[in-house]
Structure formats: structure tokens, C-alpha cells
């Protein structure tokens, strides 16, 4: 179970797709990797939902993650298939814990429950600064998360870096400023 992590625009979707194709793995994403998850993702990413509380956001994402575990992760991993995911539980810790400044233990606890304590075996962090990432996003219509202020993303970047430092046997940190082929 390999997860790609990082802020919007870091290249995780591109790299997750490439790796899954190269190794014949199941490719998935969080949020939105199931039909139910896609509906939850729509609520979470809708820029009109500026009034969504950080706790409600955390619980909605944990709900998506529980469904994703039941429909995608558990069945495929139990069948011996490799799974490559664009995001994982670590995004909740980074975004809701560090970014939204919610209690880290509470964010971890609700998500630990949602994933039945099944964490990725390997996490690839594409480390990139917010300014570079936003330049990559370009002129597309920004979702609710992408519209957040720079300080929010700086806290997330620091959160990802902290998690990688604290668990170096699980995390690989790559320079997200590189071209995709590098």
C-alpha cells in the first residue's frame, strides 16, 4: 500500500498514476475513490461551502476514508494486490490537524478508527512550496481547499515534513520542484 502525499499542485496524481501503471497496481484516491466518496468530495471541494466547520470537514473526510477502506483498500490488499493512492490518512493529519489547527490526536483517532488502523506501508511526499504549486495549478477554477491562504498551506507543508521526519522508515521525501520525468 503506497500513498503519494503533498499539497495541491505538487504532482502526486501524476506520479501515483505512473507508478500504478508501472507496477500493475490498483490506482485510487482519497477523497473520492468510491461512489459515496465522490459525493463527499463534491461537498468538501465546493467553493460555495465556505461555512463548513473544520470538525465537520474532518468527519466527512473520515467517512470517505471508512468507505474507501471497506470498498477499495481492504478487498484489494487482502487479495494480494498492490494499491497506489493519491492521498491517504496522512492528508487528514496534515490538512485538518496541522492546517486547520485541530487537535492532532483527535484527528488521528477518528481516522485510525476509519481505516481500521491500516496505514500505508510506504508514503512518498512530493515536497514543494505553496508558491510553486499554485503556479502549476494555473488558471483552472480553484476548489475550496485551493482557495485557502498561504499560511494554511505552509502549516500543511510543515506537517508533512514533521511526519516524514518522525517516521523515516515509512516516508520517502522527493523534491516536488523537479520535472515529472525526473
Amino acid at each position: 500500500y503506497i500513498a503519494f502525499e503533498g499539497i495541491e499542485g505538487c504532482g502526486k496524481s501524476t506520479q501515483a498514476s505512473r507508478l500504478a501503471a508501472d507496477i500493475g497496481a490498483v490506482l485510487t484516491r482519497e477523497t473520492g475513490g468510491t461512489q459515496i466518496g465522490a459525493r463527499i468530495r463534491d461537498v468538501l471541494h465546493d467553493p460555495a461551502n465556505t461555512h463548513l466547520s473544520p470538525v465537520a470537514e474532518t468527519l466527512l473526510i473520515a467517512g470517505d476514508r471508512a468507505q474507501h477502506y471497506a470498498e477499495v483498500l481492504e478487498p484489494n490488499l487482502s487479495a494480494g494486490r498492490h494499491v497506489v493512492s493519491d492521498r491517504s490518512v496522512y492528508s487528514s493529519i496534515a490538512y485538518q490537524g496541522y492546517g486547520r489547527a485541530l487537535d492532532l490526536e483527535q484527528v488521528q483517532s477518528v481516522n485510525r478508527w476509519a481505516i481500521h488502523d491500516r496505514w500505508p506501508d510506504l508514503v512518498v511526499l512530493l515536497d514543494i512550496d505553496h508558491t510553486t504549486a499554485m503556479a502549476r495549478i494555473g488558471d483552472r477554477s480553484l476548489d475550496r481547499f485551493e482557495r485557502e491562504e498561504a499560511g494554511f498551506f505552509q502549516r500543511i507543508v510543515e506537517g508533512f515534513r514533521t511526519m516524514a521526519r518522525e517516521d523515516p522508515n515509512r516516508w520517502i521525501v522527493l523534491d516536488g520542484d523537479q520535472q515529472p520525468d525526473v
Side-chain angles (χ1 to χ4, degrees):
Y1 174 25
I2 302 169
F4 281 79
E5 292 288 4
I7 61 172
E8 273 72 18
C10 73
K12 67 194 166 320
S13 300
T14 298
Q15 296 303 330
S17 177
R18 286 177 168 194
L19 179 62
D22 285 351
I23 66 173
V26 173
L27 176 64
T28 189
R29 72 176 186 178
E30 293 184 17
T31 57
T34 66
Q35 279 188 330
I36 291 170
R39 294 177 74 187
I40 293 170
R41 182 182 176 88
D42 288 344
V43 171
L44 290 166
H45 288 258
D46 186 343
N49 291 334
T50 58
H51 58 287
L52 184 61
S53 83
V55 171
E57 177 182 279
T58 302
L59 294 171
L60 283 167
I61 293 170
D64 166 82
R65 188 157 287 122
Q67 191 66 31
H68 187 258
Y69 173 84
E71 282 189 44
V72 179
L73 288 180
E74 198 285 324
N76 283 295
L77 293 172
S78 290
R81 294 182 196 95
H82 296 296
V83 175
V84 175
S85 185
D86 176 348
R87 295 205 181 281
S88 74
V89 63
Y90 291 108
S91 280
S92 286
I93 297 167
Y95 276 69
Q96 285 72 49
Y98 287 95
R100 301 277 189 228
L102 294 177
D103 181 89
L104 286 174
E105 183 50 45
Q106 288 182 329
V107 173
Q108 290 171 350
S109 179
V110 72
N111 280 283
R112 187 178 300 116
W113 181 44
I115 63 171
H116 299 259
D117 217 19
R118 180 57 170 102
W119 299 77
D121 299 302
L122 177 67
V123 182
V124 180
L125 172 60
L126 297 175
D127 193 22
I128 190 171
D129 68 84
H130 179 246
T131 305
T132 304
M134 289 307 290
R136 284 186 183 172
I137 290 172
D139 295 330
R140 76 178 187 201
S141 179
L142 300 181
D143 69 27
R144 192 175 70 83
F145 289 103
E146 294 164 341
R147 292 177 184 214
E148 288 289 343
E149 42 89 20
F152 174 71
F153 286 103
Q154 187 55 43
R155 292 188 300 275
I156 292 167
V157 167
E158 289 307 316
F160 277 130
R161 290 174 179 166
T162 297
M163 289 185 283
R165 275 193 310 274
E166 291 176 351
D167 195 0
N169 293 325
R170 184 182 313 260
W171 288 72
I172 296 173
V173 179
L174 301 177
D175 181 357
D177 286 334
Q178 301 297 315
Q179 292 299 312
D181 288 341
V182 175

